Amino acid sequence: MGSSAAELTVLLQAWRDGSSEAFEAVARAVQAEFLRMAASRLAGHDQATFAKGDLVNEVWLRLMKSDKSWANRAHFFATAALTIRGVLTDHARARLADKRGGGRVRLTLTESAVGEESMAADLLTLDKLLSQLQALDARAAAVVELTYFTGLDRGQTAEVLDVSLATVDRELRFARAWLGQRMGTEVA
C-alpha cells in the first residue's frame, strides 16, 4: 500500500498540523492506491457517469475538508473507505433524483446507462444496511467497507484494521450472511 505505516503516519500528522508539503507527500504516496480502489469499486458499472478519477478527486476534496485527526495509516484508509462510500452513495442518490425528473433534460446516446438506476438503488440499500451493521458489529462493517468500497484484499484489510486474516475471514462470512439475509440474496 505505498509507504510504510510509520512513514505515512508521520506524514498524516504533519498534514494535520498544516504542512502543505506533507499533504503533497501523502497524495503522492496514496494516489495510486486510491485510483486502484476507485477502479475496483467502479468496475463494470457507472463508469459512463462517474470515472475513477472523478471519484478519487471527490474523495480528496472531502478528505481535505475533514477533521484530519487520523491516528495512523489504518485510520486514514478506513476514513477513505467511508468517504468513498459516501461519495458513491451521494452520486447514486443524485442519479435516482435525476431519473425522477431532477429538473434536467437528459439525453443518453449510449446503451451504458441501462441498469444504472437499479445499481444506484442497490447501492443505497447497501448503504442503509451497512449503517445497521455498523450499529450491530462495527468491525464487520469496517471489513465490508474496506473490501467492497476500496477493493482491498483480505490481507490488506487485516493490515489496515490490525487484525488477523482469520478475523477478517470470520467477519466477512458473518457480514455476507447478515447482508444476504436482509437483501434476500446470497452476497458474494
Side-chain angles (χ1 to χ4, degrees):
M1 264 192 263
S3 297
S4 75
E7 291 171 355
L8 190 55
T9 298
V10 169
L11 289 172
L12 289 168
Q13 290 168 349
W15 179 19
R16 179 194 62 218
D17 295 338
S19 169
S20 61
E21 293 85 15
F23 164 72
E24 292 171 11
V26 168
R28 280 191 306 275
V30 301
Q31 183 69 7
E33 185 66 19
F34 274 20
L35 286 168
R36 188 202 57 76
M37 290 163 34
S40 171
R41 189 56 229 119
L42 293 173
H45 39 46
D46 224 7
Q47 296 215 16
T49 60
F50 208 42
K52 69 180 180 180
D54 296 336
L55 175 56
V56 168
N57 289 340
E58 183 62 29
V59 168
W60 274 119
L61 287 171
R62 291 185 186 193
L63 288 173
M64 289 167 47
K65 292 178 186 177
S66 71
D67 174 25
K68 297 167 189 65
S69 60
W70 304 296
N72 52 36
R73 181 178 76 161
H75 189 201
F76 176 73
F77 275 100
T79 302
L82 287 173
T83 304
I84 289 170
R85 174 181 166 195
V87 169
L88 290 173
T89 301
D90 290 349
H91 182 70
R93 281 190 186 109
R95 289 205 37 79
L96 286 177
D98 286 347
K99 292 279 184 177
R100 293 188 180 110
R104 292 189 337 205
V105 175
R106 184 178 202 150
L107 175 63
T108 302
L109 299 175
T110 68
E111 293 182 20
S112 64
V114 174
E116 287 181 12
E117 184 172 348
S118 65
M119 284 186 273
D122 288 347
L123 181 61
L124 293 177
T125 300
L126 179 60
D127 180 63
K128 179 181 174 186
L129 289 173
L130 280 175
S131 294
Q132 293 172 7
L133 181 59
Q134 172 72 27
L136 177 68
D137 187 335
R139 187 169 56 200
V143 168
V144 170
E145 288 165 345
L146 288 170
T147 56
Y148 184 75
F149 288 98
T150 66
L152 297 180
D153 65 30
R154 294 171 22 258
Q156 292 168 322
T157 299
E159 179 186 349
V160 167
L161 294 177
D162 195 27
V163 297
S164 70
L165 193 57
T167 298
V168 168
D169 289 341
R170 189 172 43 255
E171 296 291 5
L172 274 174
R173 279 192 308 275
F174 167 73
R176 286 177 177 150
W178 189 90
L179 289 167
Q181 182 182 36
R182 276 138 192 89
M183 295 174 80
T185 62
E186 186 173 323
V187 179

